[in-house]
Amino acid sequence: MSSIGPLPADAALAPALAVALALVHLFAGRLSVGGRIPRSRWLSLAGGVSVAYVFVHLLPEIGAAATTLGARGAATGESAGYLIALIGFVAFYGLEQFARRSNLDPGSDGDPSGTAVFWIHVGSFAVYNAIVGALLLDPELDGLFPFFVAMALHFLVTDDGLRDHHGPTYRHRGRWVLSAAVLVGVVVGYALEDTDLLVSVFVPFLAGGIVLNVIKEELPSDRESRFPAFAIGAAGYAALLLFV
């Protein structure tokens, strides 16, 4: 297999940034921003930043991915990238419903440790994190540091949701799995053979997943989310991406 090919100058920092992203999951629980009602302003702001990155940077990338997939003979032509984004959105919505219903099941005793529910849920986010790690090495990525900042803040959001679902089990096992997944993604990224095709799948899927995972944390009324903080995060990061 060939390597990922010529990397942008700042991508030499990708392994270090992957380690930093892994540390987000390891230490997010110590930041005292999660598990609050009303929701922490910092988490709402982080969600706004994540969504801004999707709409300003990843959606244009989906257009490019769709063109690549169409040129590779995808059955749906240039709509393929958008369909993959939809698949990412629907897949994580289904996983969220699956996890929530299992938590409400009186037979689950509130501790999904060792059950299919826990490992399916955490395993799906491990794939998600591995995609993020691999994309740190994407030579077509428009700015490594904006991507890193958006994903670091997004990991705070997803970590809070997973701790809410799985409690001590996530703290003892899940966060280590997700941290390792980012590092595995970088290692795999160095060995990817057909980067154009794989990135054309990874980017739309990640975009759909990010939108769903932020929305599911911000919209429920019982979260008492902070719309001003969310709006400031989205508007501020969008302006930064567009004008800096």
Side-chain angles (χ1 to χ4, degrees):
M1 295 177 71
S2 62
S3 67
I4 197 167
L7 299 175
D10 57 358
L13 295 173
L17 296 181
V19 170
L21 288 175
L23 292 175
V24 171
H25 280 301
L26 292 183
F27 294 102
R30 300 185 181 183
L31 297 179
S32 301
V33 297
R36 296 181 183 176
I37 302 294
R39 187 168 174 79
S40 166
R41 291 182 178 86
W42 294 108
L43 285 179
S44 289
L45 186 143
V49 168
S50 304
V51 167
Y53 187 83
V54 169
F55 281 93
V56 175
H57 270 200
L58 288 190
L59 287 187
E61 292 284 342
I62 292 175
T67 300
T68 299
L69 291 168
R72 295 297 188 95
T76 52
E78 293 190 3
S79 298
Y82 300 97
L83 289 174
I84 293 171
L86 177 62
I87 290 168
F89 186 95
V90 172
F92 279 94
Y93 178 69
L95 287 164
E96 179 68 12
Q97 291 298 305
F98 180 55
R100 285 189 179 278
R101 290 180 181 179
S102 72
N103 283 354
L104 294 174
D105 180 2
S108 68
D109 74 9
D111 181 9
S113 175
T115 68
V117 174
F118 173 76
W119 290 113
I120 289 172
H121 201 201
V122 170
S124 66
F125 275 92
V127 173
Y128 186 84
N129 281 16
I131 290 173
V132 171
L135 288 177
L136 288 170
L137 294 165
D138 177 14
E140 302 299 321
L141 193 66
D142 187 12
L144 178 60
F145 284 101
F147 178 72
F148 165 75
V149 170
M151 292 304 99
L153 293 175
H154 180 56
F155 281 8
L156 287 177
V157 174
T158 59
D159 194 273
D160 182 58
L162 288 165
R163 276 185 281 116
D164 181 54
H165 275 307
H166 300 293
T169 309
Y170 174 75
R171 292 193 295 273
H172 296 154
R173 300 181 185 181
R175 66 192 178 109
W176 293 97
V177 173
L178 297 192
S179 296
V182 182
L183 304 180
V184 169
V186 171
V187 172
V188 171
Y190 276 111
L192 288 178
E193 183 174 5
D194 192 342
T195 59
D196 287 344
L197 183 59
L198 288 170
V199 167
S200 296
V201 174
F202 288 169
V203 168
F205 186 83
L206 183 65
I210 290 173
V211 171
L212 185 280
N213 284 310
V214 172
I215 287 175
K216 76 179 176 62
E217 296 297 333
E218 291 295 325
L219 287 187
S221 59
D222 61 354
R223 293 278 189 177
E224 296 184 30
S225 297
R226 310 290 191 137
F227 174 74
F230 181 87
I232 289 169
Y237 206 63
L240 186 67
L241 293 172
L242 288 171
F243 302 116
V244 175

